[in-house]
Amino acid sequence: MQNIGISRYEKLETILSWKNICSSNNIRIYENKFSNLVTKSVIESKWFHDAKNYIAKESKNKTFYLLTSTPKKEIDNILKEINFSNHFYEVYGWPSKKKFVLEEIIKKKNYPKDQCLMIGDSKTDEAASTKNKISFLLHRTNENFKDFYNYDGYYY
């Protein structure tokens, strides 16, 4: 749980190394199994609160970017399956690093930092917003409560 927001590939390689079964073939096998499980679970999962309606409605007036540690190909597939791709200006997935992508987006589009908001649920999300000096809104969950126990910023 301390590594939420870090690529599954990095985690998988470490775990397979602990089991002394880390090979290119095994990594590929477990990546595929995990990807299939995650994709299915995400597609079938419920949205929290009214997020889906909010994004769909506000994407007409606001510019939303999706930055995730989910592999790019996989997140693109998920968004296509749930018919939601058109609500994001751009989608970034692994291997992109959130803090660098966020910096690139802000510079490229010349966004005023006081008008940017990073919404996330991991320490890497918070670190990306801190590095880029933009506001952070924490999506607090049972899984990240310990990591953000002393967090005194905005959350929902």
Coordinates of all heavy atoms in Angstrom, one line a residue, residues 4-5 7 11-12 15 21 33 46 54 58 77 81 89 92 103 107 114 132-133 141 144 151:
I4 N 1.4 2.8 -3.8 CA 0.3 3.1 -4.7 C 0.8 4.3 -5.6 O 1.5 5.2 -5.1 CB -1.0 3.6 -3.9 CG1 -1.6 2.4 -3.2 CG2 -2.0 4.2 -4.8 CD1 -2.7 2.8 -2.3
G5 N 0.5 4.2 -6.8 CA 0.9 5.2 -7.8 C 2.2 4.9 -8.5 O 2.6 5.6 -9.4
S7 N 4.4 2.2 -10.8 CA 4.1 1.3 -11.9 C 4.1 -0.1 -11.4 O 4.9 -0.6 -10.7 CB 5.1 1.4 -13.0 OG 5.1 0.3 -13.9
K11 N 6.8 -3.0 -9.5 CA 6.4 -3.8 -8.4 C 6.5 -5.3 -8.8 O 7.0 -6.1 -8.0 CB 4.9 -3.5 -8.0 CG 4.7 -2.1 -7.4 CD 3.2 -1.9 -7.2 CE 2.9 -0.5 -6.9 NZ 1.5 -0.2 -6.9
L12 N 6.1 -5.6 -10.0 CA 6.1 -7.0 -10.4 C 7.5 -7.6 -10.5 O 7.7 -8.7 -10.0 CB 5.3 -7.2 -11.7 CG 5.1 -8.6 -12.3 CD1 4.4 -9.4 -11.3 CD2 4.4 -8.5 -13.6
I15 N 8.7 -8.3 -6.9 CA 8.0 -9.5 -6.3 C 8.5 -10.7 -7.0 O 8.8 -11.7 -6.2 CB 6.5 -9.4 -6.5 CG1 5.9 -8.2 -5.7 CG2 5.8 -10.7 -6.2 CD1 4.5 -7.8 -6.0
I21 N 12.0 -16.0 -9.5 CA 11.4 -16.4 -10.7 C 11.3 -15.3 -11.7 O 10.5 -15.2 -12.6 CB 10.0 -17.1 -10.6 CG1 9.0 -16.1 -9.9 CG2 10.1 -18.4 -9.8 CD1 7.6 -16.6 -9.9
K33 N -1.6 -11.5 -17.2 CA -2.7 -11.9 -16.3 C -3.2 -10.7 -15.4 O -4.4 -10.6 -15.3 CB -2.1 -13.0 -15.3 CG -1.9 -14.3 -15.9 CD -1.4 -15.3 -14.9 CE -1.1 -16.7 -15.5 NZ -0.7 -17.6 -14.5
K46 N -17.9 0.5 -10.0 CA -18.8 1.7 -9.9 C -18.0 2.9 -9.8 O -16.9 2.9 -9.2 CB -19.7 1.5 -8.7 CG -20.7 0.4 -8.8 CD -21.6 0.4 -7.6 CE -22.7 -0.7 -7.8 NZ -23.6 -0.7 -6.6
Y54 N -20.0 14.5 -13.4 CA -19.3 15.8 -13.2 C -18.3 15.9 -14.4 O -18.3 17.0 -15.1 CB -18.6 15.9 -11.9 CG -17.7 17.1 -11.8 CD1 -18.3 18.3 -11.5 CD2 -16.3 17.1 -12.0 CE1 -17.5 19.5 -11.4 CE2 -15.6 18.2 -12.0 CZ -16.2 19.4 -11.6 OH -15.4 20.5 -11.6
E58 N -18.6 18.8 -17.1 CA -17.6 19.9 -17.1 C -16.6 19.8 -18.1 O -15.9 20.8 -18.4 CB -17.0 19.9 -15.7 CG -17.9 20.3 -14.6 CD -18.5 21.7 -14.7 OE1 -17.8 22.6 -15.1 OE2 -19.7 21.8 -14.4
N77 N -7.7 1.5 -23.6 CA -8.7 0.5 -23.8 C -9.9 0.6 -22.8 O -11.1 0.5 -23.2 CB -8.1 -0.9 -23.7 CG -9.0 -2.0 -24.0 OD1 -9.8 -2.0 -24.9 ND2 -9.0 -3.0 -23.1
E81 N -13.8 1.3 -23.8 CA -14.8 0.3 -23.4 C -16.0 1.0 -22.7 O -17.1 0.6 -22.8 CB -14.2 -0.8 -22.6 CG -13.4 -1.8 -23.4 CD -14.3 -2.7 -24.3 OE1 -15.4 -3.1 -23.9 OE2 -13.8 -2.9 -25.5
Y89 N -8.7 15.8 -22.4 CA -8.0 16.5 -23.5 C -6.8 15.6 -23.9 O -6.5 15.4 -25.1 CB -7.5 17.8 -23.0 CG -6.8 18.6 -24.0 CD1 -7.5 19.3 -25.0 CD2 -5.4 18.8 -24.0 CE1 -6.8 20.0 -26.0 CE2 -4.7 19.5 -25.0 CZ -5.5 20.1 -26.0 OH -4.8 20.9 -26.9
Y92 N -2.4 10.2 -20.2 CA -1.1 9.8 -20.0 C -1.1 8.6 -19.1 O -1.7 8.6 -18.0 CB -0.2 10.9 -19.4 CG 0.0 12.1 -20.3 CD1 -1.0 13.1 -20.2 CD2 1.1 12.2 -21.1 CE1 -0.8 14.2 -21.0 CE2 1.2 13.3 -21.9 CZ 0.3 14.3 -21.9 OH 0.4 15.4 -22.7
E103 N 4.4 18.9 -15.4 CA 5.3 20.0 -15.7 C 5.2 20.4 -17.1 O 5.1 21.5 -17.5 CB 6.7 19.7 -15.2 CG 7.7 20.8 -15.5 CD 9.1 20.4 -15.1 OE1 9.5 19.2 -15.2 OE2 9.8 21.4 -14.6
K107 N 3.7 23.9 -18.8 CA 4.6 24.7 -19.7 C 4.1 24.8 -21.1 O 4.0 25.9 -21.7 CB 6.0 24.1 -19.7 CG 6.8 24.4 -18.4 CD 8.2 23.9 -18.6 CE 9.0 24.2 -17.3 NZ 10.3 23.6 -17.4
D114 N -2.2 28.8 -10.6 CA -3.3 29.0 -9.6 C -4.6 28.5 -10.1 O -5.6 28.5 -9.4 CB -3.3 30.4 -9.1 CG -3.7 31.4 -10.2 OD1 -3.6 31.1 -11.4 OD2 -4.1 32.5 -9.9
N132 N 5.2 20.7 -8.8 CA 4.8 21.7 -9.8 C 4.0 22.9 -9.3 O 3.5 23.8 -10.0 CB 3.9 21.0 -10.9 CG 4.7 20.1 -11.8 OD1 5.4 20.6 -12.6 ND2 4.7 18.8 -11.5
K133 N 4.0 23.0 -7.9 CA 3.4 24.1 -7.2 C 2.0 24.4 -7.6 O 1.6 25.5 -7.9 CB 4.3 25.3 -7.4 CG 5.7 25.2 -6.8 CD 6.5 26.4 -7.0 CE 7.8 26.3 -6.3 NZ 8.8 25.5 -6.9
T141 N -9.3 7.5 0.8 CA -9.9 6.1 0.8 C -9.4 5.4 2.1 O -8.5 5.8 2.7 CB -9.5 5.3 -0.4 OG1 -8.1 5.1 -0.4 CG2 -9.8 6.1 -1.7
N144 N -5.7 4.5 1.5 CA -4.6 5.5 1.6 C -4.7 6.3 3.0 O -3.9 7.3 3.1 CB -4.6 6.5 0.4 CG -5.8 7.4 0.4 OD1 -6.5 7.6 1.3 ND2 -6.0 8.0 -0.8
Y151 N -2.3 14.5 6.8 CA -2.6 15.4 5.7 C -3.6 16.5 6.1 O -4.6 16.1 6.7 CB -3.1 14.6 4.5 CG -3.5 15.5 3.3 CD1 -2.5 16.0 2.5 CD2 -4.8 15.8 3.0 CE1 -2.8 16.8 1.4 CE2 -5.1 16.5 1.9 CZ -4.2 17.0 1.1 OH -4.5 17.8 0.0

